[in-house]
Amino acid sequence: MNKTEMIAAMAEKAGMTKVDAKKALEAFMCTVECEMKAGNKISLPGFGTFSVKERPARTGINPRTKKNITIAAKKMAKFKAGSNLEL
């Protein structure tokens, strides 16, 4: 499902226009992104939790040259599904 299909599905299920569904989806995505950039965790009971995971710097090997390289530390987005989210 792509973004356009998601907007259409949200509009149909919520009984709203596609324009309003698009605004709601974009507001949700913006809020999640801003909170995660601030280092906060977003918990939606029954759905899941969005959080930030910090990966430390580490040493790796360049497969082409076989030389050791340093891989920089970085922050990654993490999603953990809630127990009620069944597939």
Side-chain angles (χ1 to χ4, degrees):
M1 174 179 277
N2 62 29
K3 186 175 177 181
T4 304
E5 293 167 340
M6 174 69 102
I7 291 168
M10 286 175 58
E12 183 179 329
K13 289 185 195 265
M16 61 172 62
T17 65
K18 288 183 182 179
V19 172
D20 289 339
K22 181 178 180 182
K23 287 179 185 177
L25 180 61
E26 288 177 351
F28 173 77
M29 292 188 317
C30 180
T31 302
V32 169
E33 181 181 350
C34 290
E35 288 299 311
M36 290 181 73
K37 281 183 179 178
N40 299 327
K41 181 167 71 168
I42 300 100
S43 180
L44 302 171
F47 182 71
T49 303
F50 296 92
S51 61
V52 178
K53 179 180 179 184
E54 294 189 30
R55 292 185 67 179
R58 62 189 196 280
T59 302
I61 298 174
N62 182 333
R64 186 173 293 166
T65 63
K66 307 294 186 214
K67 292 185 179 179
N68 287 341
I69 57 172
T70 300
I71 301 169
K74 65 179 181 177
K75 294 181 180 179
M76 298 183 64
K78 180 181 173 186
F79 177 76
K80 182 178 179 185
S83 59
N84 293 344
L85 187 63
E86 296 180 10
L87 303 176

